[in-house]
Amino acid sequence: MAKKGINQDIIQKTNRSLLLKYLRREGTCSRVHLANLTELKQATVTNIMKDFIDWEIVKEVGFLNGNKGRRSIGIAVNKDMFRVIGVRIARKYFKVALYDLTGELITEKRIELENETNRNASDIIEMVADSIKTIIIDNNNEKILAIGVALPGPFIAKKNRIGLITGTEGWNNVDVRQLLLERCGIPVFLEHDANAGAYAHMWGLKDAYKDEVLIYVAAGQGIGAGIIIEGEIFRGALGTSGEIGHMSIDRFGEKCACGNQGCLEKYASSTELVKKVNEELNLEVAVNFKQVKEWIENGDELCVNLYKESCRNLGRGIINLINILNPDIIIIGDEMTRPNPKIMQEEVSETVSKGILKELWKEIDLKVSQYNGDSILDGAAIMAINEVFNNPSIFLEKI
Amino acid sequence: MAKKGINQDIIQKTNRSLLLKYLRREGTCSRVHLANLTELKQATVTNIMKDFIDWEIVKEVGFLNGNKGRRSIGIAVNKDMFRVIGVRIARKYFKVALYDLTGELITEKRIELENETNRNASDIIEMVADSIKTIIIDNNNEKILAIGVALPGPFIAKKNRIGLITGTEGWNNVDVRQLLLERCGIPVFLEHDANAGAYAHMWGLKDAYKDEVLIYVAAGQGIGAGIIIEGEIFRGALGTSGEIGHMSIDRFGEKCACGNQGCLEKYASSTELVKKVNEELNLEVAVNFKQVKEWIENGDELCVNLYKESCRNLGRGIINLINILNPDIIIIGDEMTRPNPKIMQEEVSETVSKGILKELWKEIDLKVSQYNGDSILDGAAIMAINEVFNNPSIFLEKI
DNA sequence: CTTTATTAATAAATTCTTTTAATATATTTA
DNA sequence: TAAATATATTAAAAGAATTTATTAATAAAG
């Protein structure tokens, strides 16, 4: 979008968003504490919290024990007053889940799409909408403020129209937001899946928000990255940033459908790992990732070696990311970390530490995700919550 | 830096910076015109311009012809009221130049460092300071508001302390800003050279500032990139973003001093091009880039072919940049574009167009710089001007 | 030549922020 | 109990953009 003059709305939006992040992470704390964390003045915190309390999304919860002086009044997100829905649409399944306002998962449903190959995008969206309605009814028609949806990419995100441009057929230029909005009548927010994962990880960090650049690398069937700069998702010109799966690490490498050759996906995705295992074994019936994962877990030499190689290749991609973006934190997640996170951590660290300047390696925080749950699904919901706290109009009508 | 709450200062700083960018680009225009360009209200423009005019950095310049209605009052940057100094420190020379407040070059001096290999950083800074003093005296002691300095990288920029960490010896952890400030007594602003180049190019664009992401690729003896996001330089965690020269495009490629292998610099820098030419010719006395450039200009087949290969390799690096950052604009500049910009444009475009998704290629603006002058030197000065417009305290003391 | 519509710039009042400073409140400690 | 300390709130202030109204200048229409 055009870079235009800015006004006061942006101040408050930023400060509200920041206060929410801290308040949720702290669980229960005092206003003064929030003021210290955000470097806002106490009065500012009081003002914003007064709004939040009016809107019933924050509440006071008794007193906190202090050492000296007046006791603090504990405040916390009023997590059970409203709900949000998180949706993750993947290539072979989708999930719909209910969350409280702190981003805590309440209930989750997963629907397989393996046998639905003849369905087009709007059919699937219909299924998603039905699941949403069901989950709402099953939970006593609780008040839902928003729906956050995570989608696989790459996609063009301009003008709120999301068109998947590779992978699944029939998703080109589909206006997912509009279709879901029509069917559910609740505000819908879309996000690229890796971005959602990155956002969830940022929330989960112990001392988050102090970092300028966080990258979440989703290494699964494909490889994508979510890039967060100063607490905000970085999307690039068309919303396709973070397509690191199609970054080349080998100029003489294998051709890829994207036109490039030597794409990282060809060397570090689970799809390719499984392919290589099958090539080596040459069995009658090809094995799948689940099987390969088991073999790696059991220490099968061939599989472990191929896995290690994939990890090292991923490391080579991460070296490039570091040189270009100089992030504070890189978190590796998704399918490829699951067979053996320890090996992944070791191989990637080994590769990266050798491939970048010592001064950079000393400062960077590179780790395999230890996220408990589905960060992409959670991230979709969390982004919706963030929108809610910033756009009171969304739910003011509902009160 | 920590992500903290924000306040009104940021609003005005942003709006001032934006108005400056547009006003300088328009040359002379009306307040209404600026209001339209920035989407600020007329009254806001009037207010900010009133300040600028008070501080004598903007002036009214008669009337403009309109079609109907009241004539506009022309306003323009009061370019000759003050001056700024731009400095570019390169590995084998440095330049010091005087600029007016629109960023127009007035006079420039270049000092070679080829025979100064025994000098350390502070000696060189001493030389720079002397040149600055001389240029000021030679120009009737005009009022200098600030000094902008562009330096080669990579460097750690935290805490204003710039330490060059590769290349030239003796530059580790040198506080260039402080040293220059002590010697000149004028505010000093530092920037990585590729970032300065990017900034100058942004200023030079005809319809600039509407783009979210601009990347300037400085392909010279080394290869660096300046990344601009929403009109601001993106520096990353430590200030080393844009080190694309050490992005690997060949996982089996040649070892590099940085620890990585297959670094882009080994395939697309002028240093390597010259090396390859020398390897092929195996002459008694090795040729330098100037000679190679001449041969390319004259269409020597060997040199042209090697040059084309370098361009294609650069294209492969740019493909990676696009996949990761999804920029609106990429501008290629510096030494490597000079032998034959047309070939560079063709080879890079050819390579990139084949290596990214059609949907992305359609939207991206990829071009060889046609910048007239030294964008890195200019950029250093321009950034200083930007600081001046945002920090009136800098020069208010001088009035 | 006068009127009208149009455009530009400014001024005053308004609104919406955060911040400052003062005040009230509550708790510990001496 | 008094003093010190810490938290929270309130009212006023400060600073920003915006809205509304006003003044001014010009071209076009009649």
Side-chain angles (χ1 to χ4, degrees):
Chain A
M1 198 186 53
K3 169 80 175 178
K4 298 298 176 176
I6 59 173
N7 56 31
Q8 297 186 110
D9 293 353
I10 293 176
I11 296 180
Q12 205 174 44
K13 202 162 175 171
T14 306
N15 289 344
R16 276 188 184 150
S17 180
L18 194 69
L19 281 168
L20 164 63
K21 282 187 190 128
Y22 278 109
L23 179 57
R24 185 212 58 88
R25 199 185 67 198
E26 299 295 305
T28 296
C29 70
S30 71
R31 289 165 171 85
V32 167
H33 187 58
L34 284 177
N36 292 336
L37 290 171
T38 58
E39 290 185 7
L40 293 166
K41 301 299 166 201
Q42 291 182 23
T44 306
V45 176
T46 296
N47 289 338
I48 292 179
M49 287 306 145
K50 187 151 53 185
D51 284 346
F52 283 171
I53 290 170
D54 278 352
W55 307 336
E56 299 184 271
I57 54 185
V58 163
K59 63 181 173 187
E60 297 191 337
V61 288
F63 296 101
L64 305 178
N65 295 330
N67 293 338
K68 286 191 280 190
R70 176 177 172 176
R71 288 177 306 181
S72 308
I73 300 170
I75 52 176
V77 174
N78 192 3
K79 66 196 186 82
D80 293 319
M81 194 64 194
F82 303 103
R83 303 280 183 237
V84 299
I85 299 254
V87 177
R88 175 179 183 178
I89 299 178
R91 294 184 199 277
K92 296 182 177 164
Y93 65 90
F94 70 81
K95 289 180 183 178
V96 173
L98 192 72
Y99 287 84
D100 71 26
L101 276 192
T102 66
E104 204 71 36
L105 182 73
I106 295 168
T107 177
E108 175 185 357
K109 197 157 48 168
R110 175 179 167 134
I111 284 103
E112 301 301 326
L113 295 173
E114 297 271 14
N115 308 318
E116 308 278 347
T117 44
N118 55 337
R119 301 233 183 207
N120 63 21
S122 56
D123 289 344
I124 290 171
I125 291 170
E126 196 74 57
M127 292 172 71
V128 171
D130 287 344
S131 294
I132 291 173
K133 286 173 199 159
T134 308
I135 218 167
I136 295 173
I137 293 168
D138 288 352
N139 285 272
N140 310 314
N141 291 300
E142 288 174 303
K143 287 182 200 157
I144 312 295
L145 296 182
I147 299 171
V149 183
L151 293 158
F155 56 76
I156 308 287
K158 278 261 163 100
K159 292 165 278 174
N160 295 336
R161 174 177 295 270
I162 301 288
L164 301 183
I165 51 181
T166 62
T168 330
E169 288 287 305
W171 282 83
N172 271 15
N173 223 24
V174 175
D175 193 339
V176 177
R177 184 204 293 263
Q178 185 58 31
L179 290 172
L180 261 186
L181 181 59
E182 281 166 9
R183 279 158 185 75
C184 301
I186 300 167
V188 176
F189 303 98
L190 301 180
E191 196 50 74
H192 188 175
D193 51 9
N195 290 344
Y199 208 79
H201 276 85
M202 177 184 63
W203 265 46
L205 286 177
K206 285 218 179 63
D207 56 351
Y209 331 135
K210 80 169 170 46
D211 296 293
E212 300 233 338
V213 187
L214 176 151
I215 302 180
Y216 170 70
V217 176
Q221 293 177 357
I223 300 180
I227 301 167
I228 293 188
I229 299 176
E230 292 191 8
E232 300 290 330
I233 291 169
F234 171 76
R235 295 187 176 79
L238 305 167
T240 71
S241 71
E243 276 303 327
I244 63 169
H246 297 288
M247 158 172 71
S248 169
I249 59 167
D250 188 345
R251 61 193 180 131
F252 301 120
E254 199 185 328
K255 271 267 175 194
C256 174
C258 74
N260 203 358
Q261 57 190 121
C263 289
L264 184 58
E265 284 197 358
K266 296 285 177 194
Y267 304 101
S269 67
S270 64
T271 317
E272 292 295 320
L273 175 61
V274 171
K275 203 165 148 193
K276 279 192 191 101
V277 170
N278 278 312
E279 279 168 13
E280 290 287 337
L281 295 179
N282 203 17
L283 299 173
E284 292 249 318
V285 182
V287 298
N288 61 13
F289 181 73
K290 205 176 149 206
Q291 180 61 66
V292 173
K293 177 168 172 269
E294 253 173 50
W295 284 338
I296 296 171
E297 285 166 349
N298 296 333
D300 173 82
E301 201 181 329
L302 170 72
C303 288
V304 167
N305 282 339
L306 287 172
Y307 180 61
K308 282 185 176 173
E309 202 187 318
S310 293
C311 295
R312 286 193 295 270
N313 285 329
L314 185 62
R316 300 203 60 72
I318 288 175
I319 289 171
N320 288 357
L321 276 181
I322 294 173
N323 277 313
I324 296 171
L325 289 168
N326 182 216
D328 305 79
I329 300 185
I330 297 184
I331 302 168
I332 305 165
D334 213 357
E335 220 171 23
M336 278 295 280
T337 65
R338 308 242 159 83
N340 192 323
K342 194 153 164 284
I343 289 181
M344 173 66 87
Q345 177 79 55
E346 282 166 8
E347 295 296 322
V348 171
S349 295
E350 170 83 7
T351 306
V352 173
S353 66
K354 281 188 197 152
I356 60 173
L357 292 170
K358 277 190 295 296
E359 289 83 353
L360 292 182
W361 176 248
K362 227 167 43 191
E363 297 288 336
I364 200 160
D365 183 5
L366 170 63
K367 60 194 169 198
V368 172
S369 169
Q370 303 194 356
Y371 196 93
N372 195 4
D374 183 341
S375 68
I376 292 172
L377 181 61
D378 288 356
I382 292 168
M383 285 187 320
I385 293 170
N386 193 46
E387 293 290 338
V388 165
F389 273 68
N390 284 319
N391 299 294
S393 63
I394 285 178
F395 64 92
L396 281 181
E397 305 155 13
K398 304 217 150 223
I399 293 178
Chain B
M1 199 186 53
K3 169 79 175 179
K4 298 299 178 176
I6 59 173
N7 57 28
Q8 295 184 115
D9 292 353
I10 293 176
I11 296 181
Q12 205 173 45
K13 202 163 176 170
T14 306
N15 290 342
R16 275 188 185 151
S17 180
L18 194 69
L19 281 168
L20 164 64
K21 283 186 189 128
Y22 278 108
L23 178 57
R24 185 212 57 88
R25 200 186 66 200
E26 298 296 306
T28 297
C29 70
S30 70
R31 291 166 172 84
V32 168
H33 186 59
L34 284 177
N36 293 335
L37 290 171
T38 57
E39 290 184 7
L40 292 165
K41 299 302 166 202
Q42 291 182 22
T44 306
V45 175
T46 296
N47 288 337
I48 291 179
M49 286 306 144
K50 187 152 51 186
D51 284 346
F52 284 171
I53 290 171
D54 278 354
W55 306 335
E56 301 183 87
I57 53 183
V58 163
K59 63 181 172 189
E60 297 191 338
V61 286
F63 295 99
L64 305 178
N65 294 331
N67 294 337
K68 283 191 282 191
R70 175 176 173 178
R71 288 178 306 181
S72 307
I73 300 169
I75 50 175
V77 173
N78 191 4
K79 64 196 187 80
D80 295 319
M81 194 64 194
F82 302 104
R83 303 280 183 239
V84 299
I85 300 254
V87 176
R88 175 179 183 179
I89 299 178
R91 294 184 200 278
K92 296 182 177 163
Y93 65 90
F94 71 82
K95 290 181 182 177
V96 173
L98 192 72
Y99 288 84
D100 71 26
L101 276 192
T102 67
E104 204 72 36
L105 181 73
I106 295 169
T107 176
E108 174 185 356
K109 196 157 48 170
R110 175 178 166 135
I111 284 102
E112 300 302 326
L113 295 173
E114 297 272 15
N115 308 319
E116 307 278 346
T117 44
N118 56 336
R119 301 236 184 205
N120 63 20
S122 57
D123 288 343
I124 291 171
I125 291 171
E126 195 75 56
M127 292 171 72
V128 171
D130 286 343
S131 294
I132 291 173
K133 287 174 200 159
T134 307
I135 218 167
I136 295 174
I137 292 167
D138 287 352
N139 285 274
N140 310 315
N141 290 301
E142 287 175 303
K143 286 182 202 159
I144 312 295
L145 296 180
I147 300 171
V149 184
L151 294 158
F155 55 75
I156 307 288
K158 278 261 164 98
K159 290 165 281 174
N160 295 335
R161 175 177 294 270
I162 301 287
L164 301 183
I165 52 183
T166 62
T168 329
E169 287 287 305
W171 283 84
N172 272 15
N173 222 23
V174 176
D175 193 339
V176 177
R177 183 203 294 263
Q178 185 57 32
L179 290 172
L180 262 186
L181 181 60
E182 282 166 9
R183 279 158 186 73
C184 301
I186 299 168
V188 176
F189 303 99
L190 301 181
E191 196 51 74
H192 189 174
D193 53 9
N195 290 344
Y199 209 80
H201 276 84
M202 177 183 66
W203 264 46
L205 286 176
K206 285 219 179 64
D207 57 351
Y209 331 136
K210 79 170 171 49
D211 296 292
E212 300 234 337
V213 186
L214 176 152
I215 301 180
Y216 170 70
V217 176
Q221 293 178 354
I223 300 180
I227 301 167
I228 293 188
I229 300 176
E230 292 191 8
E232 300 290 330
I233 292 169
F234 171 78
R235 295 186 176 80
L238 305 168
T240 71
S241 70
E243 276 304 327
I244 63 170
H246 296 289
M247 158 171 71
S248 169
I249 60 168
D250 188 344
R251 61 193 180 131
F252 302 120
E254 198 185 329
K255 271 270 177 193
C256 174
C258 74
N260 202 357
Q261 57 191 121
C263 290
L264 184 59
E265 284 196 358
K266 297 285 176 192
Y267 304 100
S269 67
S270 64
T271 317
E272 293 295 320
L273 175 61
V274 171
K275 203 164 148 193
K276 278 188 193 106
V277 170
N278 278 313
E279 278 167 14
E280 290 287 336
L281 294 179
N282 203 15
L283 299 172
E284 292 248 318
V285 183
V287 298
N288 60 12
F289 182 73
K290 205 178 148 204
Q291 180 61 67
V292 173
K293 177 167 171 269
E294 252 173 50
W295 283 339
I296 296 170
E297 285 165 348
N298 295 334
D300 173 83
E301 202 182 328
L302 171 71
C303 288
V304 168
N305 282 338
L306 286 172
Y307 179 59
K308 282 186 176 174
E309 201 187 318
S310 293
C311 294
R312 287 194 295 271
N313 286 329
L314 186 63
R316 301 204 58 72
I318 289 175
I319 289 172
N320 288 356
L321 275 181
I322 294 172
N323 277 312
I324 295 172
L325 288 169
N326 182 216
D328 305 77
I329 300 184
I330 297 184
I331 301 168
I332 306 166
D334 213 358
E335 220 172 23
M336 278 295 280
T337 65
R338 309 241 159 85
N340 193 324
K342 195 153 163 283
I343 289 181
M344 173 65 88
Q345 177 80 53
E346 282 167 7
E347 296 295 322
V348 170
S349 295
E350 170 84 5
T351 306
V352 173
S353 66
K354 282 189 196 151
I356 59 174
L357 292 170
K358 276 190 297 294
E359 290 83 353
L360 291 182
W361 176 246
K362 229 167 42 193
E363 297 288 336
I364 199 159
D365 184 5
L366 170 63
K367 60 195 170 199
V368 172
S369 170
Q370 304 192 357
Y371 196 94
N372 194 4
D374 183 341
S375 68
I376 292 173
L377 182 60
D378 288 357
I382 292 168
M383 286 187 321
I385 293 170
N386 192 47
E387 293 289 339
V388 165
F389 273 67
N390 284 318
N391 299 293
S393 62
I394 285 178
F395 63 92
L396 280 182
E397 305 156 12
K398 302 216 150 224
I399 293 177

